[in-house]
Amino acid sequence: MAETETETSEVLSWHFVGSIDELKSKACRKIYMEGGPNLALFYVEPGKFFLTNSSCPHAKGPLEQGSIEDLGGSYQLTCPMHYFTFDLETGESPMGPKLRTYQTEQREDGLYALIPRPVSLTR
Ligand code: FES
């Protein structure tokens, strides 16, 4: 399996997240990565998922409880705590702190993510 190194020398590889049918049953859900951090998976439209850290980079708000807005080509996530907004694709925020995002890929058997460690849908 191909591996990618980030600027922090964290080794990323493709890990199975779950079946598409199961994952598209919820617009937002928390995902548990071995050894942390927890992640948040967003299902915004058929064939489109975004994966980010679940903890807001401002003050650790629970982003899996955030709201998503379709801006016509991009999706904006709003944190439920102080309403900072983040671009779900890039993690950029006009308020400052950048949210960590991860690549996902749909394959025949389900959704995969380019992340440091395996994940589980339950704790
Ligand atoms: S914790 Fe998310 S905006 Fe403050």
Side-chain angles (χ1 to χ4, degrees):
M1 210 172 267
E3 292 187 337
T4 305
E5 266 193 47
T6 65
E7 60 282 356
T8 57
S9 297
E10 187 176 56
V11 177
L12 304 177
S13 51
W14 290 100
H15 291 278
F16 180 74
V17 179
S19 77
I20 302 299
D21 276 352
E22 181 173 12
L23 297 178
K24 70 183 189 186
S25 65
K26 278 187 178 180
C28 309
R29 71 170 72 225
K30 197 168 187 175
I31 303 269
Y32 302 91
M33 184 158 64
E34 261 179 27
N38 292 327
L39 307 178
L41 182 70
F42 302 93
Y43 173 65
V44 295
E45 63 178 79
K48 197 132 186 102
F49 289 92
F50 292 105
L51 186 64
T52 71
N53 281 352
S54 67
S55 181
C56 178
H58 174 231
K60 299 186 167 55
L63 292 175
E64 73 282 358
Q65 294 172 29
S67 58
I68 301 166
E69 191 178 352
D70 182 350
L71 299 181
S74 68
Y75 289 90
Q76 178 179 274
L77 169 67
T78 301
C79 178
M81 278 184 68
H82 312 102
Y83 310 109
F84 279 30
T85 58
F86 300 92
D87 181 306
L88 272 177
E89 183 86 51
T90 65
E92 299 285 349
S93 171
M95 286 82 165
K98 187 173 178 183
L99 173 64
R100 176 85 189 264
T101 60
Y102 302 89
Q103 282 183 58
T104 60
E105 185 174 284
Q106 289 187 55
R107 299 182 189 171
E108 256 178 42
D109 60 335
L111 187 75
Y112 285 75
L114 191 58
I115 48 181
R117 291 171 293 285
V119 286
S120 162
L121 301 185
T122 54
R123 197 179 281 273

